[in-house]
Amino acid sequence: MKLPSLNAQIVIGCLLGLAAGGWLSTLGSAPVVGDVLYGAKMVGNLFLDLLRMVLVPLVFASIVTGVANLRAHDQMHRVWTATLGFFMLTMIIAIVIGFGTAHIFRPGEGLHLEMFAEATRGYQARQMTLPDYIAQFMRGLFQNPFKALAQGDILAIVIIALFLGIALVIGGERYRNIRNLMTELQELCLMVVGWIMRLAPLGLAALLLQLVATQDSALLASLGHFIVVIIGSTLFHGVIVLPFLLWLITGVSPLRFFRGAREALLTAFVTSSSNATLPVTLRCTEQHLHVKKDIVSFVVPLGATVNMDGTALYEAAAALFVARLAGIELDIASQLIVFFVAMLGAIGAPGIPSVGMLSMVLVLESVGLPTEAIAILLPIDRILDTVRTAVNVEGDMVGSLVVQKLAGGAREG
């Protein structure tokens, strides 16, 4: 008998976890409840520990590879500087929108989950003066690479990976073996992630069982609020911000853009994968939006790796949502760390479904938030991923038009 797809298995696992948790909550303090919750905690923690196991090498290899891939296009100096500049600008705007909407609408406020109590006790909110904060932040950025890798210090690992990636760009062909090694390490880590994700239905069922058995229905209302906030803010970025930047820089009307990009955006929405949409994106950008082939062939594939506006927006807002669920109000220092990690974590995030969960773990761990929160976020992730992937792809196509304008003029057509 053919098994359902992994996504279908995850949905089934989540539904079973919700149902079992609801059933346990009706039993009160019966002895069986404690035994089942203990077993669920063991299974859930195993799944989270497996994700943490592969997180550091995957993040390190992905960021090094993402930056080092610029080397192949170093002859197109104006093109890639304009590309990176535009991608950084839109990602910063997206994160600001994510933070802004999370602060304005405050999803998760007033709901303190007992499941996160241990993580809350271990969290130390630091009240520091600005000079003290800057000094501590800088010390945290630059560390012994072996110490940072061994201790899983995410912020320092990201910085080390950036330096190594830039060194590989400058070093060129002399260091192609190291570049190939990093690419192969990334591929191996993704293979391991694929194995771990086979346990996702069971792991998420166990985590959700704990959650529902120990919480009330207020969580569902808070989760619905969060979904509305994320979809609304992501659509604002995709329908208002990106088309406005496109019109401001190139003069191309939003109507003309969406007419030419429609096929790629629909494909991205359905597949939730920037990589799967890549052939359609390339064709629409070149044939319908009339961008030169040499610019398209660089900007769009690079964007599928490093330009993740929708993902960065979601992760910034989700970090504040999880903090409120844990009864924590992130200080400005922690929010700046989330800002930095969400942006840099998107550089090497592969454009495939479910791997976004790992980058979410990366953001949560960077400021000491409970990674158990993925039990709440993953069941709704597929809904949100459709919209944010479409916005990610839209950003690549808008970027192609902008880069063509800034780096070489437009083709007539």
Side-chain angles (χ1 to χ4, degrees):
M1 185 179 72
K2 186 178 179 181
L3 291 174
S5 67
L6 179 61
N7 287 331
Q9 291 178 45
I10 288 174
V11 170
I12 293 168
C14 291
L15 292 175
L16 289 175
L18 290 170
W23 173 69
L24 281 180
S25 66
T26 65
L27 299 181
S29 57
V32 69
V33 174
D35 294 337
V36 173
L37 286 177
Y38 177 78
K41 184 176 182 180
M42 293 285 290
V43 174
N45 286 345
L46 172 64
F47 177 60
L48 291 173
D49 289 341
L50 286 170
L51 288 176
R52 293 190 190 104
M53 176 186 73
V54 76
L55 178 65
V56 167
L58 177 60
V59 168
F60 180 74
S62 294
I63 293 177
V64 171
T65 302
V67 175
N69 281 342
L70 297 175
R71 184 212 56 82
H73 304 276
D74 54 7
Q75 73 278 12
M76 300 170 63
H77 180 75
R78 288 180 62 193
V79 171
W80 72 257
T81 51
T83 302
L84 290 183
F86 182 76
F87 285 170
M88 290 286 285
L89 171 66
T90 58
M91 206 176 300
I92 288 171
I93 293 172
I95 294 173
V96 169
I97 292 171
F99 273 141
T101 53
H103 278 299
I104 292 169
F105 299 104
R106 303 186 71 81
E109 189 169 40
L111 189 64
H112 187 184
L113 300 188
E114 288 300 320
M115 183 179 175
F116 300 155
E118 185 178 340
T120 304
R121 285 193 295 270
Y123 182 86
Q124 297 295 326
R126 300 178 302 278
Q127 299 297 325
M128 295 182 291
T129 63
L130 184 60
D132 288 341
Y133 163 68
I134 293 174
Q136 181 163 327
F137 182 73
M138 294 301 290
R139 281 197 301 271
L141 288 182
F142 308 107
Q143 296 186 23
N144 181 316
F146 297 103
K147 176 185 174 184
L149 289 166
Q151 294 183 348
D153 193 322
I154 296 299
L155 208 55
I157 289 167
V158 169
I159 293 296
I160 294 161
L162 279 174
F163 270 100
L164 182 55
I166 293 168
L168 290 175
V169 171
I170 296 172
E173 283 302 307
R174 283 181 298 170
Y175 304 115
R176 64 180 178 275
N177 290 336
I178 296 177
R179 191 172 64 251
N180 292 338
L181 177 65
M182 290 294 106
T183 302
E184 290 172 1
L185 176 60
Q186 182 191 32
E187 292 171 354
L188 283 172
C189 288
L190 288 174
M191 183 187 299
V192 174
V193 169
W195 297 342
I196 296 171
M197 287 304 295
R198 293 179 183 274
L199 297 177
L202 184 61
L204 289 169
L207 289 167
L208 281 171
L209 185 150
Q210 292 179 74
L211 190 66
V212 174
T214 56
Q215 302 304 320
D216 55 33
S217 60
L219 175 62
L220 294 178
S222 183
L223 203 56
H225 184 197
F226 176 69
I227 291 171
V228 171
V229 169
I230 292 298
I231 290 178
S233 54
T234 306
L235 287 175
F236 176 79
H237 185 74
V239 176
I240 305 296
V241 174
L242 288 176
F244 175 73
L245 289 174
L246 176 65
W247 172 80
L248 189 67
I249 297 172
T250 69
V252 174
S253 73
L255 186 60
R256 178 191 159 196
F257 170 77
F258 283 119
R259 207 163 38 227
R262 179 177 52 201
E263 186 180 340
L265 296 180
L266 286 173
T267 305
F269 183 85
V270 172
T271 63
S272 297
S273 170
S274 300
N275 285 350
T277 310
L278 192 56
V280 184
T281 309
L282 289 167
R283 185 169 64 83
C284 287
T285 308
E286 184 179 354
Q287 296 181 9
H288 299 168
L289 298 175
H290 309 294
V291 180
K292 294 176 182 177
K293 185 173 183 178
D294 57 346
I295 291 178
V296 173
S297 62
F298 170 66
V299 176
V300 171
L302 180 65
T305 301
V306 306
N307 185 40
M308 301 287 180
D309 292 359
T311 302
L313 184 155
Y314 163 70
E315 289 175 353
L320 293 183
F321 175 62
V322 170
R324 292 195 185 102
L325 291 181
I328 297 168
E329 193 67 32
L330 292 181
D331 58 17
I332 186 63
S334 297
Q335 290 185 47
L336 285 172
I337 291 173
V338 169
F339 185 103
F340 184 71
V341 173
M343 184 167 62
L344 291 181
I347 287 177
I352 57 179
S354 77
V355 175
M357 180 177 60
L358 274 174
S359 57
M360 191 68 248
V361 172
L362 167 70
V363 171
L364 295 177
E365 289 222 327
S366 70
V367 287
L369 291 173
T371 52
E372 291 85 353
I374 64 168
I376 302 170
L377 298 174
L378 194 60
I380 63 171
D381 188 67
R382 294 301 290 163
I383 301 170
L384 302 176
D385 199 18
T386 57
V387 179
R388 70 172 182 257
T389 302
V391 171
N392 289 343
V393 170
E394 179 191 353
D396 301 341
M397 302 177 82
V398 169
S400 298
L401 286 160
V402 168
V403 169
Q404 177 165 260
K405 179 70 174 181
L406 296 178
R411 176 192 291 182
E412 297 299 323

